[in-house]
Amino acid sequence: DPEEPEALSEMARLKSTSGDVASAVAAVERLAEHEHDAKKQAEQYIRAAKLLEDNGDRDGAIGRYKKALDADRSALPAVQALRSIYTRRGDAHGAVEMLNYEISLTDGDRKRAELDAELGTLQAERLDDMLSAEQAFNTALSLDATCTVAQIGLGRIEFAREYHEQAAKYLG
């Protein structure tokens, strides 16, 4: 049976080990296509994406990570991997999009504050969008008043505006 899940999984592992990435990805994708559980299907597409990414095919990996998100909109590992690829590529807009998506999927105020602060930093440093950065930093501080990255970000924005007293409050 060419579609037998355990055989396909073992075939993917063997092909990957032997360096035949294309065959390994094809086997994993067949597993994904025959999976009825959305979360398991997304896991298989993520597995295929990692094989491609580990072998330098970022574009192929992006496609598989997106298929994982099509299968399961809450596949956080796919979102994080896409954000990482976009960041390494220098695609700030893609990274911002994935950060916003990750924030929407994340539970816990401190983790969301950390992500909002990262978003603000990216918007300020890479996109030169100080208004959006300020909003992200303020959101981070509303979630976690001790978020140092957000305080520094707001301090720098206020300093650039020459509001030195306000900058000192954040940077103090």
Side-chain angles (χ1 to χ4, degrees):
D1 179 6
E3 304 305 320
E4 203 283 320
E6 287 183 44
L8 282 172
S9 185
E10 189 60 24
M11 182 66 74
R13 188 187 67 75
L14 290 170
K15 293 292 185 179
S16 176
T17 303
S18 70
D20 188 357
V21 176
S23 294
V25 169
V28 172
E29 285 185 325
R30 283 202 321 257
L31 278 169
E33 290 164 3
H34 290 92
E35 184 59 61
H36 298 293
D37 181 310
K39 289 194 181 302
K40 290 181 181 177
Q41 185 179 41
E43 288 171 6
Q44 293 299 343
Y45 281 124
I46 290 169
R47 181 177 171 196
K50 286 180 181 177
L51 284 169
L52 290 166
E53 188 176 0
D54 290 345
N55 285 281
D57 184 358
R58 287 183 184 165
D59 291 330
I62 288 171
R64 289 356 175 260
Y65 286 128
K66 287 182 177 182
K67 281 185 174 187
L69 287 174
D70 286 343
D72 177 13
R73 301 295 297 163
S74 65
L76 191 57
V79 175
Q80 292 169 331
L82 282 168
R83 179 169 56 100
S84 174
I85 290 173
Y86 290 146
T87 299
R88 283 181 281 153
R89 279 183 147 187
D91 180 355
H93 292 286
V96 164
E97 180 182 342
M98 289 299 108
L99 259 171
N100 280 319
Y101 197 167
E102 187 173 349
I103 289 166
S104 73
L105 296 176
T106 300
D107 292 326
D109 287 350
R110 288 187 190 257
K111 181 61 180 171
R112 286 183 46 225
E114 179 184 313
L115 292 171
D116 274 308
E118 186 177 340
L119 176 64
T121 300
L122 189 60
Q123 290 168 324
E125 293 178 1
R126 301 287 306 282
L127 297 177
D128 201 33
D129 183 353
M130 295 306 166
L131 182 60
S132 295
E134 184 176 17
Q135 290 171 345
F137 290 138
N138 280 320
T139 301
L141 283 178
S142 72
L143 294 169
D144 177 9
T146 64
C147 183
T148 306
V149 174
Q151 290 174 338
I152 291 170
L154 286 171
R156 288 179 177 164
I157 289 171
E158 296 298 346
F159 187 82
R161 291 178 179 158
E162 296 185 10
Y163 297 156
H164 298 134
E165 285 183 35
Q166 189 64 26
K169 289 178 185 177
Y170 288 119
L171 297 172

